[in-house]
């Protein structure tokens, strides 16, 4: 596979050694150097946060953070968000190509026919406190799904992997909506298979037995777009977690549950919830007040950060944030909320930050989560459900990476460490 090599000269303890390391080229993007043979010299590389490490090869998603490019299977996210749908994107991510008419109909009907969860799952919910964070419910219930599908969980069989993927994509909105209904003490809604994926999710969230729920097409479209914009993002923390768990041979439901747990943190999927909390905390849209929070974010002695700003990979702009901002304007206009103070604060924060040297020098731009929370809130979705919605969308990305890994040759994920603890010492009791 490697056509090029890099020569590494090691100068250790006055001994010089040269090693030829293979270089691999991807379709686009930077080359990677295979450092595996360093092990034969008793050396490991050191790269906390995996800033310069490719842990796998993948053909699902490509990001060029410098140019603000995000492509799924070669298609730019902007085009997909404008012209495709979440279900079509799921097919693309899972199988590598856009579906033709027949493939789409077959795939969509498979998803529709797996939306319901086993009735015994309802009992899981009763074990949670009413005020449990829906992410904790999601982690538990998704992991628990493994108990229901012993028949099709052979991870070495492609058809079993596919049916697990379909089950997960189809059931995530149902479990997500159930976790919300449980929180607010309303009865669960069964999925309605006459509705589209996104409509069905909104229906299960907001319908109740006492009154008819009227679906708003602008909100349903926005929901679909939010699902699309979060569907995959190559080797981010939660996807890497899913791959790591998958590399042990764990079942798909356990792996996705691990991904959900990793997504929960505020530096990752928890950021959309954190943005809304930040906007609430800022509260007043006056210039002095907004400047006060900008100053706090810039202060080295204050751990405060502007949530929804910055990204490990994007250094020019987050292409998802642009589409999200457009969608935000559409939804708030449709709902007659264009003058919402939170939207005003968000826009002003963005403007100040984009003109401020601190943010310019550090290449800190609004990320996908900066506007998504405002849209979700306007649609009536409570803050603690934001990361749950991210997890619903990202499930297809996680399961596509898991499926890709298992379809290729792979190794058990097992990083090494730089040990900085005590050297060997003899036991002497201190009691
Ligand atoms: N507000 C203020 N300063 C910031 C921010 C921020 N949001 N983000 C980074 N910085 C500063 C940071 O203090 C550091 O400054 P200095 O060089 O003077 O020490 C510099 O920028 C680099 O920061 P870093 O923490 O080394 O960068 P990172 O790549 O490790 O962090 C990040 C990326 C996303 C964790 C971080 O930007 C952050 O905490 N942002 C807020 C949380 C957020 O919005 N996360 C959602 C990410 S998008 C959704 C997803 O893909 O999961």
């Amino acid at each position: 596979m490697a056509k090029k090599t890099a020569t590494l000269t090691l100068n250790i303890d006055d001994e010089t050694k040269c090693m030829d390391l293979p270089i691999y080229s991807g379709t686009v993007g930077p080359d990677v150097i295979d450092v595996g043979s360093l092990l034969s010299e008793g050396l490991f590389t050191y790269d906390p946060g995996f800033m310069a490490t490719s842990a796998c090869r993948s053909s699902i998603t490509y990001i060029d953070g410098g140019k603000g490019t995000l492509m799924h299977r070669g298609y730019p996210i902007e085009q997909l968000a404008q012209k495709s749908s979440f279900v079509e994107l799921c097919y693309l991510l899972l199988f590598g190509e856009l579906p033709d008419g027949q493939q789409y109909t077959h795939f969509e009907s498979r998803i529709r026919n797996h939306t319901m969860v086993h009735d015994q799952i309802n009992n899981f919910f009763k074990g949670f406190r009413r005020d449990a964070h829906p992410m904790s419910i999601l982690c538990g219930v998704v992991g628990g799904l493994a108990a229901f599908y012993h028949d099709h969980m052979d991870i070495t069989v492609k058809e079993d992997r596919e049916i697990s993927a379909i089950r997960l994509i189809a059931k995530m909105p149902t479990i997500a909506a159930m976790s919300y209904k449980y929180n607010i003490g309303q009865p669960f809604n069964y999925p309605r298979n006459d509705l589209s994926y996104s409509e069905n999710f909104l229906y299960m969230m907001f319908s109740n037995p006492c009154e008819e729920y009227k679906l708003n097409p602008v909100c349903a479209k926005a929901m679909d777009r939010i699902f699309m914009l979060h569907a995959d993002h190559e080797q981010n923390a939660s996807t890497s977690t899913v791959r790591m768990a998958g590399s042990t041979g764990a079942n798909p439901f356990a792996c996705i549950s691990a991904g959900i747990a990793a997504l929960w943190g505020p530096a990752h999927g928890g950021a959309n919830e954190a943005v809304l909390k930040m906007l609430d905390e800022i509260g007043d849209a006056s210039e002095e007040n907004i400047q006060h929070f900008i100053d706090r974010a810039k202060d080295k002695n204050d751990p405060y950060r502007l949530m929804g700003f910055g990204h490990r990979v994007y250094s020019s702009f987050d292409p998802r944030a642009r589409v999200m901002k457009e969608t935000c304007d559409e939804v708030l206009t449709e709902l007659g909320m264009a003058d919402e103070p939170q939207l005003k604060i968000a826009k002003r924060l963005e403007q100040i930050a984009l003109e401020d040297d601190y943010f310019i020098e550090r290449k800190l731009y609004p990320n996908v989560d900066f506007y998504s929370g405002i849209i979700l809130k306007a649609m009536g979705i409570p803050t603690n459900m934001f990361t749950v919605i991210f997890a619903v969308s990202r499930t297809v990305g996680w399961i596509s990476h898991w499926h890709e890994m298992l379809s290729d040759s792979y190794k058990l994920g097992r990083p090494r460490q730089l040990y900085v603890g005590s050297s060997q010492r003899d036991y002497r009791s201190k009691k």
Side-chain angles (χ1 to χ4, degrees), residues 135 138-139 142-143 172 236-246 251-265 268-270 387 390-392 394-395 397-399:
M135 279 299 276
L138 205 66
C139 282
V142 171
M172 279 297 275
N236 54 84
S238 56
T239 303
S240 300
T241 303
V242 171
R243 277 187 179 260
M244 180 73 90
N251 73 70
F253 305 100
C255 295
I256 299 305
S257 177
I260 295 169
L263 185 76
W264 196 352
H268 191 9
T387 314
F390 194 157
V392 172
R394 187 54 60 86
T395 294
W398 291 329
I399 205 70

Side-chain angles (χ1 to χ4, degrees), residues 51 230 233 236 263 266-272 274-275 297-298 300 304-313 318 320 358-359 362 364 367-369 390 394:
M51 306 275 286
H230 289 90
H233 215 226
N236 54 84
L263 185 76
H268 191 9
N272 49 16
V275 170
K298 288 160 59 177
K300 283 254 159 265
Y304 184 81
R305 284 189 170 198
L306 282 190
M307 287 292 126
F309 274 80
H311 198 276
R312 171 61 63 81
V313 180
D318 179 342
R320 302 167 300 171
Y358 174 94
F359 293 89
R362 288 166 184 77
L364 301 170
N367 58 47
V368 67
D369 286 325
F390 194 157
R394 187 54 60 86

Side-chain angles (χ1 to χ4, degrees), residues 47-179:
D47 181 22
F50 310 116
M51 306 275 286
T53 298
S54 306
C56 63
R57 59 177 185 194
S58 178
S59 53
I60 300 175
T61 291
Y62 174 74
I63 300 173
D64 182 331
K67 292 192 185 133
T69 304
L70 167 61
M71 299 187 302
H72 296 312
R73 304 285 192 186
Y75 298 102
I77 187 66
E78 294 88 342
Q79 290 182 25
L80 291 167
Q82 295 298 338
K83 299 178 185 166
S84 183
S85 68
F86 180 66
V87 172
E88 189 180 48
L89 178 57
C90 288
Y91 186 98
L92 177 69
L93 290 169
L94 258 178
F95 301 118
E97 293 297 335
L98 285 170
D100 62 25
Q102 209 181 355
Q103 287 165 330
Y104 180 80
T105 311
H106 178 62
F107 180 70
E108 210 215 8
S109 84
R110 281 184 91 190
I111 302 269
R112 274 179 206 270
N113 286 307
H114 282 91
T115 48
M116 210 156 71
V117 292
H118 193 289
D119 225 42
Q120 285 293 109
I121 299 261
N122 296 3
N123 298 332
F124 279 25
F125 282 80
K126 294 190 188 123
F128 286 95
R129 279 169 55 135
R130 279 279 171 200
D131 61 354
H133 196 290
M135 279 299 276
S136 67
I137 300 183
L138 205 66
C139 282
V141 174
V142 171
L145 287 178
F148 293 82
Y149 301 114
H150 299 291
D151 54 333
H152 286 104
M153 258 186 350
D154 185 344
I155 61 161
T156 63
V157 176
K158 184 170 162 270
E159 290 70 28
D160 278 16
R161 293 202 298 271
E162 277 179 21
I163 186 67
S164 298
I166 302 273
R167 281 182 167 139
L168 276 156
I169 296 167
K171 293 182 201 313
M172 279 297 275
T174 313
I175 299 169
M178 286 168 87
S179 68

